[in-house]
Each structure stands twice: as structure tokens, then as C-alpha cells.
């Protein structure tokens, strides 16, 4: 012992048997010059004398009890102090100093100790080893150590050992083998520990790259290793369970509990390879930059992981519950998470993670928005970006992302999407860009079952797909990103967020060569929509779609931030349903609203510029008017409409149009110029309608004129213009085969024309039974109460009266005599200029015959007209008739009285005979006129009627025959 530097050695008791080589020593104390004494309670060994003479100690058994050893080494020092005795940590004793140093390619030779040791069995009990090397502090309590087969001159013979004790108070068991004297020392080991404090062995763990390890560990390990020229080589497997775990490198993490099951572990040349699984509870992993991953529970399985210095690579899968990204917005949480793929971590390089990530019940929140999804999936590789980057992640190649049951709220806008799929390359945007990240290269976004709500407006989408290339733009630009690509969508619907109305529905939309520039301009080569429908209501007060179209096509549409343009807009197979109610056109509420602003000025026209608008195919218009006592229904089809240069940016420019269509068997052709965006609106129209059946329009005629149409054809033209809000048009029409039901005696037409309906129609018909009218149409288009149909209806009465009077003026120049007599039992009748007679006369003169000739002409061209002739006599004619009757009765006396001038005075009252004579005179007058018409003018007798003669009183009455049509 003194050869090893001990200055004081004492033995309290000893027993030596030289015969059988047995030595027992008790209470050995060896004290160095400085430091703690080496104390041995009991020391017993069995040895052999013979080998001692060959410098070889052969011990069959040695037993030590109560040994206390203190080993210290300062950090960075090569001096080891054992119980105060400093020893150089150089070559071991017995090494040939002249031997060459080992190299990586030439391992060192086996040691050749000065003394050989053969130890068959060693037992160490109730002993303690205290180790302090820099920050590493280990207090090893040895309850029992057993070593066997230690033979220094047999380097390839394994030494077996077993240990039961504690490390820093944690129970530890070890067993295995070791080759301490081989050229490359090696070992095998089975170890277990319970509650081991990793902080006490953190320095040793740091040697293999696991720095700042913390926690209380339970472990069970099976390992093997060797010490070669290139360093230590270790392989093993086992289980590790750590409470309150923490680590700084290669991944910074903390966990309430961490369990590791190693299928295989190997350490060679500073490189660690392993496969196994790990479970953690209360886990937090630091990603750098103040961002960390956290999970309430997590399980990692890695079939292949490698740690070389600070470089970690791994493959495997991770399942987590209560997942969260903490530390910097946006905050991400998920009920469950799963990752399967690979990762690559190096402190001097970006952190890379690849494979597939799925999150269940995920939630993303920032100050400006919140989002949640039933499931989120990512497939690809993600890389961390430098701390100065605007976004912490980017993708290495194409990233496939999917979100199920997504719900996002931002700025009063709410979006829910059943499924979202994205294929793109994720890149941080350049400095001073409008967005922190961008999608590099061609990207594809796919949406299923989406709904967007913004205020009172909601939109839904069955399926949508966008393929585009995005380019970041500087902050402050009109749009956050520029793009080029194409879109496709199915089942798009737009309407109010609440209620039963639907504004717009489209089965399919496709857009080609779409472009969005940094200044906010948008455009496309073509946009096509199929299955278009607009304006519908369900539930109470339901009505079907007001507008439907098989297809809508826009050629070269664009929008520059103010004006929407297109070379051509085409609608195929359009169905337009117009239903007129007391509140206006059903579904078109805006159409009946006032178009002026609060100050009376018109709203600015929409900034819409279309080179051409075409409505073609099997397009139709159905019209239903519910404002009439008898509802009107009609259909206009097929519609072929073309409008050129429809430009809201130049509201005063003309837009030429042409329309061809049919209403039943009737053809409609119209052309002209429109100014729909001007205020007031204006334009010019030239239209023609041929062979229009009139009975369907009977409800209008009945409502406006009090007539019911039975038969009739309409042919007509409408020409006119609207200028400065004033409508100036003329409707020229021809009615053929017109027949009406019995008119209402109080019909509005009676009041407007002041004429009997049958008479009016019979007067208007020409020789072929046709009625021709020219009806002026007036009104103010800028008046909210203006209705074109009302304007026409109001003009009909005036037109009919005018036409009738014109006809009568031609037939009877003495228009002052045309009047309407009152009710006379037969209803009101039109009387033309009467035939007047000299008092007492009944003979037709030239004047009377001329008037009858004109009446005959009127009757001959109008077969429906009948004429009633009513003879009139007056009381003033009574004396003359009485005198004639007396002269006829007493001819001689009458002549004598005239000769002598002694005629009797007229009687004061007419006798019955005198009245009969006056009535006979009146009837004789009408008979003369009737006979002239029948015999001279050829009017059929059945169209001529005679009244019973009448005697009229009054000075204003004249002898005559009234002609009643």
C-alpha cells in the first residue's frame, strides 16, 4: 500500500495460514498524505504460493466488506484522486513505454502487466464508491458485488460480474461479462435501475450528445460493447421510464413522464443508432424561436434513428393527444395528432420533418381569425425557416394538405367546408410582402361542401377546384397575391343567410386562363356556367326559379377594380318567368323599387361593358299576371335576342338590338337601339307582331275595357322612341275576325268612348271585317308609376272614339248633328244627322236623298250595322194637319172659305183625329226613307227597322226622321 503512496497503514487484526494460503485482515486503514483514508472492514482471501514466485498472484477467493472509496477528477484534468491519492490518468501500470501509441487503424496491443493476477472469485459487500468528475456526481452503494474468472494473462477469457446496490439512492442491479485485458476491451451487461436521477449522470450522457438530461429514470437494459482505437462501441436494448424528463440536445423537450422501449441501440464512433418506441405524458418540444410543440400524451415509434454529434435523423410515427403549438401566434391545438415519416435535425441546419401528419379536432387561432377542423392532414416535407423569416415553416417539394369539417371565422365572415385539399409548395414570402407566406409553383386547391356567410349573405359550394400559380406582391398592393390558373366548381348557391329565398344557383362553373394582377385587375379567357338559376323562394309563399338557363358563357371577361367587361355574354336555353302581382313582379323586388337616390338624383349606372349579349337556343319567357280578375298566362318562345355594345360606362351610347320570337303561332320581330343605363332610360324600337291570337289577352281587355274576347287575330307594329324620359310611340294594329261576348253596360269603354260597344265595333270594321287603329302611347319612363300596358289601355278608348268619329265625319259632314240620345228603352243608341222635313211634308227631297245615300254607304261596308228609322211629328204641325184633314173631309167648303178669306181659326186643342193624322205623318216620313234605302240603295230590308211614329212637343223640335245605328 505504501508503494501506492500511503504514508500510514494499520491493521487492527490479521490471521495468516501459510500452509493453505489463507489470509484474513480486519480493520485495515491506509491514509494518504492528504485526503480520505482507505478503510476496509474485513478482507479475506485464499491464495497460492507457487505463482507468487512467477510474479503472479493467484487468488481462489477474495471477500471484502465495508470498503469506502472516494474518486475525484476536476473538470478538464487528467489527474484522478482516489481517497486523496492523485494518480495520472495515463497508460496503466505495466504498459511498455516504448510501445507505439495506438492509431485508428492499428489498435493497441494487449497490456503486459508486471504482475499477473488470477482471481477466481471476488465478493464485495456493504461498500461504498463516491465518484465526482466535474459536474458528474455518483454515490454508489454496493450491497453485493460478485466477480469471477479475472485472469490478466488470459485476455480473451470473459470476466463475469453481478452487482446489487444503488446509484445516488436509486436501486441498481448489474450483471454481465467483461474483457478488461483484451486488445479491445469489451463487455456485456444486463442492468436495471429504479428512480435514477439523470442529472447526476448528465455529464456522461452529454458524451453521447444527450445534454442537460433531467429526470428520475427506471430502466432495464441489456447491452454489449467494446473499446476500440476509434472509440467506444455499444449496442443494446431495453426499457427506460423517466419521470419529470428534460433534455436540451438533440431535441429540447420536457415531459411529466417519458418511457423508452429500445428494440436495438448501438453507439460506434460517436454515432448512435436505435430503433424502438417512446411514450410521453405532459410533453413539450422546443422548436426554437419561442415556438414549442406540446401534448398531454404522445407515443413515438421509430424503426430507424441515428444521432451523429448534433445531427439527428429518424423514421417512425408519432401519436399524440391534447396536441398544441405554443409560444407564437397563430396558436394551434388538436385533440389528437398522428405523424408517420422521417425527420432530420441539426442545430446548424433547418429542422426537417417529412411524411404524413393528421390532426383531429384541430383549432387555429390568431387575433384576426379562428379556425377549427374535424381533421387536418399534411403529406410532404416541412422545413423550419430562419428566425428572421416572416413564416416559421416552408415545404421541401410539394405539400399535400387536407382539412375535413373546417370552420373559419374572420372579420365577420364565417366559412364551413366539409373537405379541403391543397397541393402546393409552401414558401415564406419575400420581405415586405403582403402575406407572410406564398405557394410556389403550380398549386391545386379543392373544396367540398363549403358554405360562406358574410353578414346577411350566404354562399354554398358542392365542389370547387382551383389550379393556379401564385406570386407574392409587396405590402400595400391592391391584392395580397397575384395569380394565374383555372377554376372549376359545382353546385354553387348564393342567397340570404336567413329565410327561404335563393338568389342564385349554378350546377357547374369553369374558368380558363384566369389571371389576377398585383394592381387588382382580374380576367379570364372564358368563363362558362351550366345549370344557371336565380330568384326562388321555398316554404311559405313559395315560387319556382324566376330565371333559369342551360348555359352562360363569358368570352374574355375582365374586371379592373371598377368596370366589368366581356367580349360576349351568351345565354342558352334561357327561361324567364315573370309573375305580376299587386306588389310588383314576383321575385324581382328591386325592379319595382325607386331608382333615384334620397336627393332625387339617379343611382349611377353599373360599370358593365359587354361587347355583345346573345340569348339563344330554346329560350322562353312565361308571363303570369295575377292582378286581373281572371289571371293571364302566356309563353313567348323561342327567343333569339342580340344586343350589341351594352356599355354602362357610356350610358348615352346606343346599344343596337334585334329580337325574334313567337307568342303561340304569332311571330314577333323587333329591332332598334337601347339606352338602358341612361337616366332616364331611352331608345328607339321598331317591332312587328303578326297573327297573334287575341283570346288569351281577354283578361286584359276585360279589365281595361270591360270586354270579353271570343275570337280575333292581332297584327300590328309598334314604333317609337323614348327621349329625355318621354315616351312617344304609336301602335298600329289590325284586328281580324273579332268577336266579343255581351258587354257589361257599365264597361269602362262605354265611359271612355261614349258609344255602344256593338256600334263602335261595327263602325270600325271594314268590308273584310277588319278593324284598323293607330294608338298613340305616351308616358314618362322616369315615373315610378309608369306602366306600359296601362298606357296602351288608356289610349284605346281615345283611339276608338277618334276612329268612330272619323268614320262618321266622312259619312256625314254635318258633324254638329251627331249626338247620343238618352235611354229610350232600347239603351243608348248613336244617331247620325236626321232627315228633316218641312212642316206637314213627308216627301224626300234632294237633301234627304243625299243624306240617305251616305247612310247607305256606311251600311254597305259594315254588315254588322243595322239602322232604325224613327219618324217624328211636332205639335206645331197640328193646325196644318187639322186644316188638311178638314179640307179632305169638306173640300167645297174649304175652297170657298179660302176664296172669301174666311178660314176658321185653328182649334185650341187637337182632336183625337188630328193626333192620329200627326202620327200617320211621322210614320209616312220613316216609311219613305226606309223604302228609299231598300229600293234605291239596295240595303237588305232585314237590316232596316221602323219605329212607331211619335208626336213631340216643344218649339225646339223639328219634323224629321232619326237614323239610329
Amino acid at each position: 500500500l505504501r508503494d501506492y503512496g500511503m504514508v500510514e497503514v494499520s491493521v487492527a487484526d490479521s490471521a495468516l495460514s501459510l500452509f493453505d494460503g489463507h489470509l484474513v485482515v480486519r480493520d485495515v486503514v491506509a491514509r494518504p498524505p492528504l485526503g480520505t483514508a482507505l478503510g476496509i472492514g474485513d478482507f479475506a482471501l485464499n491464495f497460492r504460493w507457487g505463482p507468487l514466485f512467477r510474479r503472479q498472484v493467484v487468488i481462489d477467493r477474495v471477500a471484502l466488506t465495508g470498503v469506502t472509496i472516494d474518486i475525484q477528477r476536476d473538470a478538464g484534468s487528467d489527474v484522478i484522486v482516489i481517497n486523496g491519492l492523485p494518480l495520472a490518468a495515463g497508460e496503466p501500470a505495466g504498459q511498455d513505454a516504448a510501445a507505439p501509441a495506438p492509431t485508428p487503424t492499428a489498435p493497441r496491443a494487449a497490456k503486459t502487466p508486471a504482475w499477473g493476477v488470477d482471481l477466481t472469485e471476488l465478493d464485495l459487500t456493504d461498500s461504498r464508491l463516491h465518484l465526482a468528475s466535474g459536474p458528474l456526481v455518483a454515490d454508489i452503494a454496493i450491497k453485493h458485488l460478485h466477480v469471477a474468472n479475472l485472469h490478466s494473462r488470459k485476455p480473451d477469457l470473459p470476466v463475469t460480474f453481478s452487482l446489487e446496490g444503488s446509484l445516488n439512492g436509486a436501486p441498481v442491479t448489474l450483471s454481465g461479462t467483461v474483457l478488461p485485458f483484451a486488445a479491445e476491451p469489451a463487455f456485456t451487461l444486463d442492468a436495471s435501475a429504479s428512480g435514477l436521477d439523470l442529472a447526476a449522470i448528465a455529464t456522461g450522457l452529454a458524451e453521447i450528445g444527450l445534454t442537460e438530461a433531467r429526470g428520475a429514470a427506471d430502466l432495464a437494459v441489456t447491452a454489449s460493447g467494446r473499446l476500440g482505437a476509434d472509440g467506444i462501441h455499444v449496442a443494446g436494448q431495453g426499457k427506460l421510464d423517466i419521470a419529470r424528463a428534460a433534455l436540451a440536445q438533440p431535441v429540447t423537450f420536457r415531459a411529466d413522464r417519458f418511457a423508452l422501449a429500445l428494440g436495438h441501440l448501438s453507439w460506434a464512433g460517436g454515432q448512435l443508432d436505435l430503433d424502438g418506441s417512446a411514450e410521453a405524458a405532459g410533453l413539450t418540444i422546443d422548436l426554437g424561436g419561442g415556438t414549442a410543440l406540446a401534448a398531454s400524451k404522445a407515443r413515438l415509434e421509430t424503426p430507424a434513428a441515428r444521432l451523429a454529434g448534433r445531427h439527428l435523423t429518424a423514421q417512425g410515427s408519432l401519436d399524440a393527444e391534447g396536441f398544441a403549438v405554443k409560444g407564437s401566434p397563430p396558436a394551434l391545438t388538436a385533440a389528437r395528432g398522428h405523424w408517420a415519416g422521417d425527420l432530420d435535425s441539426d442545430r446548424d441546419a433547418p429542422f426537417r420533418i417529412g411524411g404524413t401528419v393528421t390532426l383531429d379536432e384541430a383549432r387555429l387561432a390568431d387575433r384576426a381569425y379562428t379556425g377549427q377542423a374535424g381533421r387536418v392532414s399534411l403529406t410532404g416535407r416541412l422545413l423550419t425557416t430562419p428566425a428572421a423569416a416572416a413564416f416559421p415553416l416552408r415545404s421541401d417539394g410539394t405539400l399535400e394538405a387536407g382539412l375535413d369539417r373546417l370552420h373559419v371565422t374572420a372579420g365577420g365572415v364565417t366559412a364551413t367546408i366539409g373537405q379541403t385539399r391543397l397541393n402546393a409548395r409552401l414558401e415564406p414570402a419575400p420581405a415586405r410582402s403582403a402575406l407572410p407566406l406564398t405557394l410556389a409553383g403550380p398549386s391545386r386547391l379543392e373544396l367540398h361542401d363549403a358554405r360562406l356567410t358574410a353578414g346577411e349573405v350566404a354562399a354554398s359550394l358542392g365542389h370547387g377546384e382551383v389550379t393556379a400559380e401564385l406570386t407574392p406582391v409587396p405590402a400595400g398592393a391592391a391584392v395580397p397575391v397575384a395569380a394565374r390558373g383555372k377554376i372549376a366548381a359545382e353546385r354553387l348557391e348564393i342567397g340570404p343567410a336567413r329565410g327561404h329565398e335563393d338568389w342564385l344557383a349554378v350546377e357547374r362553373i369553369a374558368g380558363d386562363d384566369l389571371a389576377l394582377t398585383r394592381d387588382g385587375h382580374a380576367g379570364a379567357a372564358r368563363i362558362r356556367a351550366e345549370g344557371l338559376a336565380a330568384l326562388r323562394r321555398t316554404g311559405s309563399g313559395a315560387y319556382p326559379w324566376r330565371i333559369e338557363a342551360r348555359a352562360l358563357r363569358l368570352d374574355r371577361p375582365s374586371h379592373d377594380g371598377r368596370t366589368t367587361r366581356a367580349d360576349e355574354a351568351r345565354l342558352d336555353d334561357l327561361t324567364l318567368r315573370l309573375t305580376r302581382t299587386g306588389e310588383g313582379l314576383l321575385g324581382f323586388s328591386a325592379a319595382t323599387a325607386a331608382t333615384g337616390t334620397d336627393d332625387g338624383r339617379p343611382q349611377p349606372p353599373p360599370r358593365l361593358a359587354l361587347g355583345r349579349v346573345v340569348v339563344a337556343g330554346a329560350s322562353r319567357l312565361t308571363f303570369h299576371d295575377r292582378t286581373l280578375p281572371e289571371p293571364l298566362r302566356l309563353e313567348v318562345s323561342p327567343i333569339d335576342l342580340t344586343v350589341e355594345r351594352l356599355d354602362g360606362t357610356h350610358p348615352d351610347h346606343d346599344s343596337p338590338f334585334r329580337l325574334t320570337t313567337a307568342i303561340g303561332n304569332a311571330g314577333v320581330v323587333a329591332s332598334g337601339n337601347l339606352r338602358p343605363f341612361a337616366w332616364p332610360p331611352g331608345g328607339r324600337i321598331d317591332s312587328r307582331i303578326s297573327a297573334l291570337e287575341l283570346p288569351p289577352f281577354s283578361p286584359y281587355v276585360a279589365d281595361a275595357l270591360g270586354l270579353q274576347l271570343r275570337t280575333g287575330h292581332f297584327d300590328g307594329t309598334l314604333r317609337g322612341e323614348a327621349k329625355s324620359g318621354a315616351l312617344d310611340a304609336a301602335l298600329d294594329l289590325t284586328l281580324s275576325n273579332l268577336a266579343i261576348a255581351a258587354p257589361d253596360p257599365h264597361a269602362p269603354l262605354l265611359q271612355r268612348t261614349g258609344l255602344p260597344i256593338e256600334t263602335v265595333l261595327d263602325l270600325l270594321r271594314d268590308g273584310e271585317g277588319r278593324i284598323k287603329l293607330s294608338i298613340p302611347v305616351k308616358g314618362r319612363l322616369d315615373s315610378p308609376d309608369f306602366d306600359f300596358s296601362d298606357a296602351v289601355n288608356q289610349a284605346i278608348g281615345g283611339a276608338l272614339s277618334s276612329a268612330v268619329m272619323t268614320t262618321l265625319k266622312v259619312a256625314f259632314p254635318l258633324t254638329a248633328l251627331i249626338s247620343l240620345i238618352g235611354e229610350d228603352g232600347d239603351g243608348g243608341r248613336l244617331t247620325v244627322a236626321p232627315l228633316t222635313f218641312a212642316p206637314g211634308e213627308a216627301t224626300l227631297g234632294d237633301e234627304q236623298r243625299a243624306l240617305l245615300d251616305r247612310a247607305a254607304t256606311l251600311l254597305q261596308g259594315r254588315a254588322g250595322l243595322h239602322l232604325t228609322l224613327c219618324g217624328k211629328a211636332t205639335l206645331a204641325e197640328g193646325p196644318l194637319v187639322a186644316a188638311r184633314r178638314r179640307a179632305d173631309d169638306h173640300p167645297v167648303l174649304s175652297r170657298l172659305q179660302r176664296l172669301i178669306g174666311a178660314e176658321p181659326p185653328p182649334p185650341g186643342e187637337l182632336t183625337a183625329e188630328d193626333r192620329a193624322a200627326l202620327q200617320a205623318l211621322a210614320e209616312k216620313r220613316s216609311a219613305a226613307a226606309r223604302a228609299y234605302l231598300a229600293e234605291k240603295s239596295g240595303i237588305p230590308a232585314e237590316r232596316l227597322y221602323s219605329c212607331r211614329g211619335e208626336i213631340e212637343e216643344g218649339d225646339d223640335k223639328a219634323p224629321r226622321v232619326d237614323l239610329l245605328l
Side-chain angles (χ1 to χ4, degrees):
L1 291 175
R2 288 185 178 182
D3 287 343
Y4 280 95
M6 298 297 178
V7 296
E8 180 183 343
V9 178
S10 66
V11 178
D13 187 12
S14 65
L16 172 65
S17 173
L18 300 178
F19 176 75
D20 57 7
H22 181 72
L23 171 66
V24 175
V25 180
R26 293 182 176 87
D27 296 333
V28 178
V29 177
R31 190 179 303 279
L34 297 172
T36 303
L38 169 64
I40 301 175
D42 293 315
F43 175 77
L45 61 83
N46 295 330
F47 64 93
R48 301 176 191 176
W49 282 105
L52 288 175
F53 300 105
R54 299 190 300 273
R55 300 177 64 85
Q56 182 177 5
V57 178
V58 178
I59 302 174
D60 291 332
R61 181 177 184 278
V62 62
L64 295 171
T65 301
V67 178
T68 301
I69 302 174
D70 183 75
I71 301 176
Q72 296 185 11
R73 185 181 73 168
D74 294 335
S77 173
D78 291 333
V79 177
I80 300 175
V81 180
I82 301 177
N83 287 68
L85 179 63
L87 298 176
E91 291 294 329
Q95 179 69 37
D96 187 354
T103 66
T105 58
R108 66 182 182 180
K111 295 182 291 183
T112 306
W115 277 80
V117 177
D118 285 333
L119 176 62
T120 302
E121 190 173 11
L122 167 67
D123 285 293
L124 179 63
T125 58
D126 297 331
S127 298
R128 184 171 296 276
L129 173 63
H130 183 77
L131 176 63
S133 177
L136 174 62
V137 177
D139 186 8
I140 304 173
I142 301 173
K143 182 178 181 181
H144 178 247
L145 170 65
H146 179 77
V147 180
N149 300 321
L150 177 63
H151 304 287
S152 63
R153 292 186 176 180
K154 295 180 181 179
D156 295 330
L157 180 64
V159 180
T160 63
F161 65 92
S162 64
L163 170 68
E164 181 182 358
S166 64
L167 174 60
N168 293 339
V172 175
T173 62
L174 300 173
S175 64
T177 65
V178 64
L179 296 173
F181 306 111
E184 292 187 351
F187 72 92
T188 65
L189 174 67
D190 287 319
S192 66
S194 178
L196 177 62
D197 185 3
L198 296 181
I201 60 172
T203 301
L205 295 175
E207 296 294 330
I208 60 174
L210 303 176
T211 62
E212 298 183 25
R214 298 288 187 275
D218 297 335
L219 63 87
V221 177
T222 298
S224 63
R226 64 181 177 86
L227 179 60
D230 56 347
I232 187 170
H233 294 247
V234 178
Q237 61 184 15
K239 295 182 179 180
L240 174 66
D241 196 328
I242 306 175
R244 301 177 302 280
L247 187 66
Q249 284 292 328
V251 177
T252 302
F253 83 99
R254 294 176 298 279
D256 295 337
R257 175 182 172 272
F258 178 78
L260 176 65
L262 292 174
H264 168 74
L265 177 145
S266 65
W267 173 266
Q271 177 174 297
L272 175 67
D273 291 279
L274 63 85
D275 70 77
S277 63
E279 293 185 2
L283 175 66
T284 301
I285 300 176
D286 192 348
L287 297 178
T291 302
L293 300 179
S296 60
K297 293 182 180 181
R299 177 178 176 82
L300 172 67
E301 294 185 359
T302 173
R306 173 170 292 177
L307 175 63
R310 295 181 175 181
H311 188 192
L312 172 66
T313 60
Q315 293 180 345
S317 64
L318 173 65
D319 290 280
E321 297 181 13
F323 176 78
V325 178
K326 300 179 177 180
S328 62
L332 173 65
T333 61
R336 289 168 297 279
H338 173 78
W339 165 77
D342 60 271
L343 62 86
D344 190 322
S345 174
D346 194 320
R347 178 175 290 275
D348 300 324
F351 179 89
R352 293 176 172 85
I353 183 169
T356 299
V357 177
T358 60
L359 302 176
D360 293 334
E361 307 303 329
R363 179 180 176 84
L364 190 69
D366 199 350
R367 290 184 297 271
Y369 63 87
T370 60
Q372 60 188 47
R375 166 158 289 199
V376 179
S377 63
L378 297 174
T379 301
R381 292 183 64 85
L382 288 173
L383 288 76
T384 56
T385 57
F391 195 75
L393 298 175
R394 63 185 178 93
S395 66
D396 184 8
T398 300
L399 180 72
E400 297 182 4
L403 299 96
D404 297 338
R405 305 189 307 279
L406 176 65
H407 182 89
V408 179
T409 300
V413 178
T414 300
T416 57
I417 306 173
Q419 288 184 337
T420 304
R421 298 292 180 266
L422 174 66
N423 292 68
R425 290 188 59 187
L426 187 69
E427 293 286 348
R432 297 183 298 277
S433 294
L435 293 179
L437 60 90
T438 184
L439 305 181
S443 303
R444 180 171 175 266
L445 175 65
E446 189 174 353
L447 306 176
H448 294 268
D449 299 325
R451 179 177 175 83
L452 180 71
T453 303
E456 299 299 321
V457 180
S460 64
L461 178 68
H463 173 254
E465 186 175 312
V466 179
T467 302
E469 293 187 14
L470 307 182
T471 304
V473 299
V479 293
V481 68
R484 295 191 66 89
K486 61 181 181 179
I487 63 170
E490 296 179 2
R491 301 187 307 279
L492 173 65
E493 297 181 2
I494 301 175
R498 290 177 292 274
H500 300 282
E501 293 182 354
D502 297 314
W503 294 342
L504 177 67
V506 184
E507 283 296 321
R508 285 173 296 279
I509 298 177
D512 298 327
D513 294 335
L514 275 72
L516 178 65
T517 62
R518 58 187 293 175
D519 54 7
H521 293 188
R526 175 172 292 181
I527 295 179
R528 180 177 177 84
E530 297 180 0
L532 181 71
L535 304 178
R536 177 181 69 173
R537 182 180 179 84
T538 58
S540 177
Y543 51 80
W545 294 110
R546 303 289 84 195
I547 302 173
E548 291 184 272
R550 180 179 58 83
L552 166 65
R553 191 190 74 206
L554 299 175
D555 291 340
R556 301 194 66 80
S558 65
H559 183 75
D560 61 7
R562 298 183 61 204
T563 305
T564 301
R565 303 178 183 274
D567 288 355
E568 180 175 293
R570 181 183 179 91
L571 279 165
D572 289 318
D573 299 345
L574 171 68
T575 297
L576 179 61
R577 296 182 178 94
L578 300 180
T579 301
R580 187 185 183 195
T581 67
E583 291 76 29
L585 290 178
L586 192 64
F588 295 88
S589 57
T592 57
T595 56
T597 58
D598 293 340
D599 59 2
R601 296 177 59 83
Q603 295 281 8
R607 299 193 65 85
L608 178 69
L610 304 177
R612 174 183 296 176
V613 177
V614 177
V615 178
S619 297
R620 65 192 182 105
L621 179 149
T622 62
F623 181 68
H624 184 194
D625 195 337
R626 297 179 183 173
T627 63
L628 305 172
E630 180 185 349
L632 170 71
R633 296 177 182 270
L634 62 91
E635 180 171 317
V636 180
S637 68
I639 299 174
D640 190 349
L641 171 65
T642 301
V643 183
E644 306 282 351
R645 302 190 298 276
L646 192 63
D647 192 350
T649 63
H650 298 86
D652 294 330
H653 288 191
D654 288 336
S655 298
F657 79 95
R658 180 170 179 80
L659 168 69
T660 59
T661 187
I663 305 175
N665 295 323
V668 179
V669 178
S671 62
N673 293 310
L674 300 176
R675 293 183 181 177
F677 302 119
W679 185 257
R684 179 184 57 81
I685 186 171
D686 187 347
S687 63
R688 179 171 180 79
I689 303 176
S690 58
L692 178 65
E693 293 284 350
L694 288 178
F697 296 89
S698 183
Y700 269 136
V701 179
D703 181 61
L705 305 178
L707 305 180
Q708 293 286 349
L709 302 180
R710 289 182 175 176
T711 63
H713 268 197
F714 173 93
D715 294 273
T717 61
L718 175 64
R719 295 184 179 90
E721 66 178 349
K723 190 174 183 180
S724 299
L727 176 63
D728 184 9
L731 177 62
D732 295 325
L733 58 86
T734 299
L735 305 177
S736 305
N737 194 30
L738 182 64
I740 64 172
D744 182 353
H746 303 291
L749 186 61
L750 281 174
Q751 301 173 6
R752 293 177 183 174
T753 62
L755 303 174
I757 303 301
E758 299 92 336
T759 303
V760 169
L761 297 180
D762 284 336
L763 279 172
L764 296 180
R765 289 188 180 95
D766 61 15
E768 298 178 358
R770 296 175 301 183
I771 299 175
K772 296 182 178 181
L773 292 175
S774 180
I775 302 175
V777 181
K778 306 289 184 180
R780 294 289 306 181
L781 294 182
D782 52 357
S783 171
D785 298 328
F786 175 74
D787 188 308
F788 182 82
S789 60
D790 286 344
V792 174
N793 290 337
Q794 292 170 9
I796 288 178
L800 293 178
S801 297
S802 175
V804 168
M805 293 307 170
T806 300
T807 301
L808 295 179
K809 288 176 184 178
V810 172
F812 307 102
L814 302 176
T815 56
L817 299 178
I818 299 175
S819 61
L820 180 68
I821 66 174
E823 297 292 335
D824 60 358
D826 293 330
R829 292 188 181 185
L830 179 66
T831 177
V832 299
L835 300 176
T836 58
F837 292 84
E841 297 296 329
T843 304
L844 298 176
D846 292 340
E847 183 179 337
Q848 289 85 356
R849 285 192 290 271
L851 187 58
L852 289 174
D853 288 340
R854 293 190 179 93
T857 301
L858 185 64
L859 293 171
Q860 289 167 351
R862 293 160 179 81
L865 282 178
H866 296 71
L867 187 64
T868 300
L869 300 94
C870 295
K872 306 292 183 179
T874 66
L875 285 178
E877 294 181 284
L880 179 58
V881 172
R884 287 182 178 177
R885 184 180 63 78
R886 287 194 297 270
D888 292 338
D889 292 341
H890 306 284
V892 177
L893 178 60
S894 296
R895 284 196 294 272
L896 180 60
Q897 290 174 340
R898 285 198 300 273
L899 288 173
I900 64 176
E903 292 180 317
E909 292 184 1
L910 295 179
T911 64
E913 290 81 359
D914 293 336
R915 286 186 172 274
L918 280 176
Q919 183 174 344
L921 176 61
E923 292 175 352
K924 186 176 180 181
R925 290 169 175 166
S926 61
R930 186 172 184 273
Y932 181 85
L933 291 172
E935 297 171 4
K936 302 297 184 181
S937 301
I939 303 300
E942 59 269 20
R943 296 175 60 193
L944 302 173
Y945 303 94
S946 298
C947 295
R948 185 171 182 272
E950 296 184 23
I951 302 172
E952 295 182 329
E953 299 181 6
D955 296 338
D956 58 339
K957 303 299 183 181
R960 67 191 185 281
V961 173
D962 285 337
L963 304 178
L964 297 113
L965 290 172

